[in-house]
Amino acid sequence: MIEFNNKVILASASPRRQELIKLIFDTVEILPADCDETLPEGIGAREAVEYLSKIKNEASSKLTDKENLIVSADTVVSVGDEILGKPVDKDDARRMISLLSGKVHQVYTGVTISLNGKIKTFSEKTDVEFFNLTKEEIEEYISSKEPYDKAGAYGIQGKAGLLVKGINGDYYNVVGFPVARLKREIEEFII
């Protein structure tokens, strides 16, 4: 655990991120960012998550004291040149899971930390490979509640873990935070 005298603010409503950050800090205040998450045209996946984590951090920083440590993040799934956000409906979830079937795709999480006007942004990439999925497997998965609040229409920590053939990189990055790297980045940042 990291000792920090002021508040630690997590600029995210994600239950998964709230759980993961408690591996680093005992007490965290949740202050979800309210901002326009429209991406600039032609932006790549790594740049997208870094951009979104920065604007979330800026939005939350306006609501708290600058002496507080603010941690914000964004995660996207990328396959080829396509960035997959959260599905808008069942058809969109079906399209996304079908697109990921039998392929290696990338999960990027961008993280921004700020304190006393100082700001640092970084990102992490994890490669995830799905099995070749049958139509029945896809329908069963998208009929659960799980896909609809997650980038790429899946949560590796839940039922989607049954779709995953393998990963290369940080598992927790796919869940929502590259938590081991985040701890080290924060320790270096607050010195």
Side-chain angles (χ1 to χ4, degrees):
M1 292 284 177
I2 296 177
E3 296 290 327
F4 186 71
N5 294 331
N6 294 320
K7 290 181 183 175
V8 176
I9 308 292
L10 176 61
S12 175
S14 164
R16 293 155 299 279
R17 288 197 185 104
Q18 292 172 25
E19 208 175 285
L20 290 173
I21 201 163
K22 289 186 179 169
L23 297 172
I24 303 172
F25 295 101
D26 281 326
T27 307
V28 178
E29 190 173 299
I30 308 304
L31 188 61
D34 184 23
C35 55
D36 177 11
E37 295 187 32
T38 306
L39 290 171
E41 279 294 314
I43 194 168
R46 184 179 298 276
E47 294 78 18
V49 293
E50 289 182 3
Y51 170 81
L52 291 170
S53 74
K54 279 182 203 171
I55 64 170
K56 288 177 180 182
N57 198 289
E58 289 167 6
S60 290
S61 70
K62 294 175 184 170
L63 306 173
T64 190
D65 297 330
K66 67 177 186 172
E67 300 83 29
N68 296 330
L69 178 69
I70 302 170
V71 180
S72 57
D74 195 80
T75 300
V76 300
V77 171
S78 174
V79 58
D81 291 334
E82 186 174 355
I83 295 173
L84 305 179
K86 296 174 184 174
V88 294
D89 57 24
K90 194 170 187 174
D91 288 337
D92 199 27
R94 180 182 297 110
R95 178 188 71 81
M96 289 183 189
I97 298 298
S98 297
L99 186 62
L100 299 175
S101 175
K103 293 184 185 139
V104 174
H105 62 274
Q106 288 65 48
V107 178
Y108 291 92
T109 298
V111 180
T112 299
I113 49 181
S114 65
L115 175 66
N116 291 322
K118 191 169 86 166
I119 189 165
K120 178 168 188 178
T121 300
F122 65 92
S123 57
E124 188 74 26
K125 176 188 83 146
T126 302
D127 292 323
V128 181
E129 182 178 6
F130 271 23
F131 285 103
N132 282 315
L133 305 174
T134 65
K135 285 185 179 186
E136 292 78 16
E137 286 173 309
I138 293 169
E139 289 306 312
E140 181 180 342
Y141 183 67
I142 65 167
S143 294
S144 73
K145 293 179 183 176
E146 197 172 281
Y148 300 98
D149 67 338
K150 295 168 184 72
Y154 78 93
I156 196 169
Q157 72 281 3
K159 293 178 183 179
L162 302 173
L163 312 178
V164 176
K165 186 173 183 179
I167 71 167
N168 184 13
D170 185 339
Y171 167 81
Y172 290 108
N173 186 55
V174 183
V175 177
F177 264 144
V179 73
R181 180 174 176 192
L182 176 60
K183 178 183 182 285
R184 285 156 179 79
E185 294 280 359
I186 290 172
E187 286 171 334
E188 186 180 295
F189 186 76
I190 63 176
I191 291 174

